[in-house]
């Protein structure tokens, strides 16, 4: 009955309209190289705060799902992934385009992205409630450990140096201490400025680091020769999007494997669609009887990578909703959105806000169905979006960043935080420092601090008792293993730091 009510909420005219707007906006953002799902959700988040939670999340869920799917369109047509999650789609998708099967490749991208999205939503619906009940037994020490695990996992799976990721994660934790002490009420690092008493606003910093910094980076690396011309795009021939059933049947084993693997990868804090799709593609190659075709236009390879793209979303949402720990950068933003609505993600959410959880699950299902129809119906005109002038996009994104940051609290300081976040994100990008751990540290900082201090107050200041609880000890073990494994793996790479 609760699930039915969730679908009825989604099918209300305004909620469905905002979901449709989100899907359309995400499809445009995903197609345009450089405008990632993370950036899209970050920039549009402030625009949803005037809406009820169901309608606001309808737009964000629509952007999240469709941007990941749409990133595969440019990966297939011009060998340029629209989002990082679509990197593996270039391996076989562009080869199919070159041999005249662009339409079929776009069809595979749509169909298998939807399969991955629907499967991961099923996992979210089945496992989130039991997991939330288990998480109700967590105490301060467990929440402290799992928050640290989330930060270290994002640092471990970030591109570049693990040490750099940890440095940014610790920096995020330090910045989160600005403001009034949550337990004793002391002012910390405010320097006499009353605007800092509430701390550094999370959403403006996030908009700057994921939105504005991307614009700065694209401007700094822009070359006129990179612009796609109408004549160049007109040479791409898109015919039918479907293929013979025997070719679909050949993808069944790799698709099942990709569904399972991508959900598991998505549930791991810090992992994302780019990691999942590459892993799925590699495993599909090992399983295939035609592994020699992979990288040369393999239907199995493209199907596996596309399934992995959207398959992570349900896993990431499961971790976010049940534990309050983001599975990836987008779910970190969604946590911020929930907190603005006064909702704290975690096991209590499944008791206090159960209808919203059901609505989010229903939104995932309906969003994927819209993507299926939209993707198959618009494959012939998908190249037109690529003709939008890049400089126009930069101006629009900057305007949205400024308006969204100011409108959050009607504060000029939030705009300043956004620009500072943009500059820091740009410098990090140039120096190959991952920004994800910083954002996660800033987001989870208060959770880490409050649970550490609460746990110490219960144990009369003894840290030893943190290691007497089996779940806490197991999580600390995972933290050590993930960091050791990542450092060992990086050490084996040329030029690793």
């Amino acid at each position: 009955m609760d699930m039915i009510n969730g679908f009825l909420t989604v099918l209300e005219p305004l909620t469905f309209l905002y979901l449709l707007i989100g899907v359309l906006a995400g499809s445009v953002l995903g197609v345009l190289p450089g405008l990632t799902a993370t950036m899209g959700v970050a920039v549009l988040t402030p625009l949803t705060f005037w809406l009820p939670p169901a309608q606001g999340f309808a737009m964000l869920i629509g952007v999240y799902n469709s941007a990941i799917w749409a990133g595969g369109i440019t990966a297939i047509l011009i060998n340029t992934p629209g989002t990082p999650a679509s990197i593996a789609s270039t391996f076989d998708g562009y080869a199919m385009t070159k041999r005249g099967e662009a339409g079929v490749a776009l069809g595979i991208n749509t169909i298998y992205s939807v399969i991955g999205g629907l499967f991961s939503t099923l996992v979210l619906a089945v496992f989130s409630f039991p997991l939330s009940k288990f998480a109700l037994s967590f105490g301060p020490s467990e929440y402290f450990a799992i928050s640290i695990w989330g930060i270290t996992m994002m640092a471990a799976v970030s591109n570049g140096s693990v040490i750099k990721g940890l440095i940014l994660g610790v920096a995020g934790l330090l910045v989160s201490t600005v403001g009034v002490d949550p337990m004793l009420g002391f002012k910390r690092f405010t320097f006499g400025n009353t605007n800092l008493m509430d701390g550094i606003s999370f959403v403006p910093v996030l908009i700057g680091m994921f939105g504005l910094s991307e614009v700065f980076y694209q401007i700094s690396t822009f070359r006129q020769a990179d612009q796609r011309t109408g004549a160049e795009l007109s040479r791409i021939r898109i015919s039918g999007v479907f293929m013979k059933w025997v070719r679909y049947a050949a993808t069944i084993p790799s698709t099942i494997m990709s569904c399972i693997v991508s959900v598991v990868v998505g549930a791991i804090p810090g992992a994302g669609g780019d990691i999942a799709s590459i892993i799925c593609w590699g495993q599909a190659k090992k399983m295939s009887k035609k592994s020699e075709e992979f990288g040369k236009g393999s239907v199995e390879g493209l199907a596996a990578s596309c399934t992995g793209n959207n398959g992570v979303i349900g896993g990431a949402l499961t971790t976010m909703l049940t534990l309050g720990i983001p599975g990836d950068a987008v779910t970190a933003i969604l946590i911020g959105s929930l907190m603005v609505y006064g909702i704290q993600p975690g096991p209590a959410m499944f008791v206090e806000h159960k209808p919203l959880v059901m609505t989010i699950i229903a939104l995932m299902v309906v969003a994927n169905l819209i993507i299926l129809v939209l993707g198959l119906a618009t494959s012939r005109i998908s190249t037109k979006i690529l003709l939008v002038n890049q400089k126009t996009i930069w101006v629009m994104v900057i305007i949205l960043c400024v308006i969204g940051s100011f409108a959050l609290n009607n504060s000029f300081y939030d705009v300043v935080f956004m620009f500072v976040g943009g500059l820091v994100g740009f410098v990090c990008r140039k120096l190959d420092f991952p920004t994800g751990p910083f954002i996660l540290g800033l987001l989870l900082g208060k959770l880490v601090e409050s649970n550490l201090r609460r746990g110490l107050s219960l144990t009369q200041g003894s840290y030893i008792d943190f290691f007497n609880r089996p779940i806490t000890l197991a999580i600390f073990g995972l933290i050590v293993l993930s960091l050791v494994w990542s450092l060992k793996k990086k050490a084996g790479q040329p030029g690793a730091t």
Side-chain angles (χ1 to χ4, degrees), residues 146-155 158 165-178 200 202 205-206 209-210 269-270 324-326 328-329 332-333 335 339 434-450:
I146 204 167
S147 299
I148 295 296
W149 183 50
I151 296 170
T152 54
M153 278 301 300
M154 180 162 280
S158 296
L166 291 176
I167 291 172
L168 266 295
V170 172
L173 288 173
L174 292 175
V175 173
S176 73
T177 63
V178 174
I200 304 297
F202 167 72
V205 174
L206 187 146
M209 294 196 79
F210 287 121
I325 305 297
D328 60 6
I333 304 169
I335 286 179
M339 292 172 69
T435 55
F438 178 88
I439 288 295
L440 206 53
L442 180 60
L443 174 65
L444 298 178
K446 287 182 171 53
L447 189 65
V448 170
E449 180 186 7
S450 61

Side-chain angles (χ1 to χ4, degrees), residues 229-294:
T229 64
E232 184 179 1
L233 292 172
S234 66
R235 290 197 291 268
I236 300 175
R237 300 299 177 192
I238 300 176
S239 53
V241 295
F242 297 105
M243 56 186 180
K244 294 181 179 179
W245 284 108
V246 66
R247 299 181 77 183
Y248 286 115
T251 67
I252 292 175
S254 60
T255 301
I256 295 173
M257 177 276 301
S258 297
C259 285
I260 297 171
V261 169
S262 60
V263 170
V264 173
V265 172
I268 298 173
D274 50 347
I275 295 172
S277 60
I278 292 173
I279 292 175
C280 290
W281 185 87
Q283 291 300 313
K285 183 177 181 179
K286 292 179 181 178
M287 292 173 54
S288 177
K289 297 178 180 178
K290 300 179 179 179
S291 59
E292 70 281 356
E293 296 181 3
F294 277 63

Side-chain angles (χ1 to χ4, degrees), residues 193-229:
N193 191 329
T194 56
N195 293 284
L196 295 177
M197 289 182 64
D198 291 331
I200 304 297
S201 298
F202 167 72
V203 174
V205 174
L206 187 146
I207 293 172
M209 294 196 79
F210 287 121
L212 194 63
S213 67
E214 182 63 39
V215 174
F216 290 160
Y217 183 79
Q218 289 190 26
I219 292 173
S220 70
T221 59
F222 178 75
R223 295 183 304 170
Q224 193 66 41
D226 293 335
Q227 290 287 289
R228 299 279 168 176
T229 64

Side-chain angles (χ1 to χ4, degrees), residues 409-451:
N409 297 305
N410 291 328
S411 171
F412 171 74
Y413 276 89
D414 283 345
V415 179
V416 174
F417 293 149
M418 185 270 295
F419 271 104
V420 172
L423 290 173
V424 171
F426 171 69
V427 172
C428 287
R429 184 81 177 268
K430 283 291 189 179
L431 299 178
D432 197 28
F433 274 76
T435 55
F438 178 88
I439 288 295
L440 206 53
L442 180 60
L443 174 65
L444 298 178
K446 287 182 171 53
L447 189 65
V448 170
E449 180 186 7
S450 61
N451 281 292

